[in-house]
Amino acid sequence: MHLRDLIQFLGELAENNNRAWFVMNKPRYDILREEFLVLVTRLIADIGKFDPDVADCNPKKALFRINRDIRFANDKRPYKTYFSAAITASGLKKPSQGGGPAYYFHINEQGQLLVAGGEYMPPADRLRSIREQIAGDPAGFMKVLKNKKLKETFGDLQDEGKLVRPPKGFDPDSPVIDYLKHKSYIVWKETSLKSALPANLGKDLAAEFRHALPLVTWLRQVRTISTEE
């Protein structure tokens, strides 16, 4: 897709985040959105070669809307200033909907590309099930995180929103207690597209998502146990 045009559009949107400007520039948005859809469609096909579980993911449903949900937000700006997509085996994007582990990426108004794999802020039942799986097999979980390609590409798990104290019901002396404090089980990396535009963004994304596969696969096999069971 035309990345320079996308970044330019998003930058202007950030400066004019109102409905009137967006309506005037809707034809630009529609073209860029269609190009982004083509990118995601091809990306799903490429990921499906090494992770067949996502091969049937609907690309239109993988895309996030540009409209922000401002019903309960103090920030009333109506539009996001990034294009984003989440590719999952379930076809659902949001953790609250039971989307499960995802391959996620976005491009923002500053030309920053974020590439991620895993689960971001899963709901309470799901989060507890992941923690219990880690506590029950710490060696198996650490083997995933020590995967060479995963570590070289993304480093360690992101610890955004990490608990200060051990979660209730878990051994504070567990060898993986730091990981049990996490609220998200996700890896990500950020790069600037302004300094060097990729020759083939889709192929680059697929290669990086392939390195996130061990974590996505591990999370996918965690059975979510409802607190009502």
Side-chain angles (χ1 to χ4, degrees), residues 46-119:
D46 287 340
I47 296 173
K49 293 174 184 176
F50 59 82
D51 186 356
D53 286 351
V54 305
D56 293 329
C57 180
N58 185 329
K60 290 185 178 180
K61 292 184 177 181
L63 271 60
F64 286 91
R65 298 173 70 245
I66 200 166
N67 301 76
R68 296 180 63 247
D69 185 352
I70 60 174
R71 290 173 298 173
F72 308 108
N74 292 324
D75 183 353
K76 297 302 182 181
R77 290 177 295 177
Y79 304 106
K80 301 170 187 173
T81 55
Y82 55 89
F83 274 25
S84 55
I87 298 166
T88 67
S90 67
L92 301 172
K93 297 188 292 286
K94 298 179 180 180
S96 60
Q97 298 173 334
Y103 301 101
Y104 171 88
F105 77 102
H106 74 224
I107 300 168
N108 70 12
E109 78 282 6
Q110 296 174 338
Q112 289 293 115
L113 168 67
L114 183 144
V115 182
E119 290 191 51

Side-chain angles (χ1 to χ4, degrees), residues 14 17-18 34 48 68 85 97 100 118-119 124 129 145 148 162 168 173 184 186 188-189 200 210-211 215 217 226:
N17 203 326
N18 59 76
E34 186 61 31
R68 296 180 63 247
Q97 298 173 334
E119 290 191 51
S129 296
L145 295 189
K148 184 179 178 181
K162 188 176 175 182
K168 185 178 179 181
D173 295 322
S184 295
I186 193 167
W188 72 55
K189 62 175 290 188
N200 191 326
R210 184 166 194 156
H211 297 158
L215 178 60
T217 302
S226 171

